[in-house]
Amino acid sequence: MVRIKISKTLEQKIRRGYPWIFHYQIKNKKIEGELGDLAVVYDSKNIFLAIGLYDPESDIRLRVLQISKPVEIDSIFFENRLLSALQLRNSIVADGTTGYRVINGENDGFPGLVLDRYDSTLVLKLYTAAWIPYLDVLSTLFKNKISVKRCVLRLSRKVAASKTISREHSEGTLLFGKKITEPIYFKENGIDFQVDVISGQKTGFYLDQRDNRQKVRLLSEGKSVLNVFSYTGAFSVYAFSGGARSVLEIDSNPIALAASRKNLKGCFINRNFSMEEFNQITGDAFDMLSKLESSGQRYDLVILDPPAFAKRKKQKMTALNSYTKLVRAGARVTKKGGILFGASCSVHVQSDNFYKAVFLGIDLAGRGYEEICRSGHAQDHPYTFSEGEYLKGIFCKIV
């Protein structure tokens, strides 16, 4: 078992629930630990502080599993963590949803691990290879405690590039269950979706926006909708489900737009959409918004859900400027009395700063606004430490 020494300052942070120890924070430099080893942290008084998974290949060398009280890290430990996570999500299934996050990494006590469910298919995504030695235990646990047919393994880019990854644990392999021979379907708020769990982004679908999509659904009746960064069109499907008059999508990825068309067709089997009802534009969002403004196009509901503008802390100011620029462009194509929805999934951009960037963007567009509501994490995406809080959104009436 690896022994790790850290500073008194970091000790206090760990006690408050911070789940990571980075390589530069370790005081004893010569550590002979292997991937997936359990590592113990003792405080300055040589009293047990924490135990976690050791990863010599990652900047995050230790991912904390347990603090304060020593415990046996075994199948029973993981089972208790899983049962707690499942209990937290009981009401989601009752709401007509079979696609949701079962384990949200550190926030559910499984640091560096995400488990998503798409009806009878689980997708396990690893952000540290330290979990590889525990896959047999986890697979058995998932099979016994969750009523599903299969579990697909997905890996982050860094984990996939690790020399320790064998063929049986490579990206897209099955941990258990039958090979996928037909499309995977699931329900979200009673709406049917199709998902690519093998090669789709993240685990195949952005499950974290479920509550915001439902809000869009409730606001869409009779409206013209502009869905910017539309990806696979989930917001568009919700808009039509809520009675939208028309939807225009903008995305730079033609593959994503094709997936959106497939989702729309799958959800509205008996409906043939005209070009006036549903259309798509392939291109850069900022350029396309500028063209729409120049041509006099205006919309009742504008959805701005971009990818993370700040993937590193030093990109924070650039990201805030980008959000302001995006909202300014979006507000300019929003009708008077229309609604603008803006979202950020950048963990390095705090909520207050994001909202200020949104308000500034509306102001720079020469428009006024009335705030309708703000949104955060859905029930299946809990957060227990500040870096675990990444999603924020806001709905504004443009006046």
Side-chain angles (χ1 to χ4, degrees), residues 79-95:
E79 180 179 340
N80 289 334
R81 289 280 170 94
L82 175 62
L83 293 178
S84 295
L86 290 171
Q87 185 175 12
L88 181 65
R89 293 152 173 87
N90 279 340
S91 63
I92 296 175
V93 181
D95 290 336

Side-chain angles (χ1 to χ4, degrees), residues 337-363:
I339 297 170
L340 183 145
F341 168 65
S344 167
C345 60
S346 298
V347 68
H348 301 295
V349 174
Q350 285 71 41
S351 297
D352 287 346
N353 291 330
F354 170 68
Y355 298 135
K356 288 177 182 177
V358 169
F359 300 148
L360 178 59
I362 297 173
D363 184 56

Side-chain angles (χ1 to χ4, degrees), residues 17-63:
Y18 189 73
W20 301 327
I21 296 177
F22 288 81
H23 67 95
Y24 60 84
Q25 296 172 317
I26 297 176
K27 297 299 182 181
N28 51 323
K29 299 301 180 183
K30 294 183 179 179
I31 298 176
E32 294 183 2
E34 296 183 2
L35 191 68
D37 280 352
L38 291 174
V40 177
V41 183
Y42 291 89
D43 66 16
S44 56
K45 296 180 181 179
N46 205 34
I47 298 174
F48 175 90
L49 175 62
I51 187 170
L53 297 177
Y54 184 69
D55 185 350
E57 299 178 355
S58 172
D59 288 343
I60 304 176
R61 288 297 156 86
L62 179 71
R63 296 174 191 260

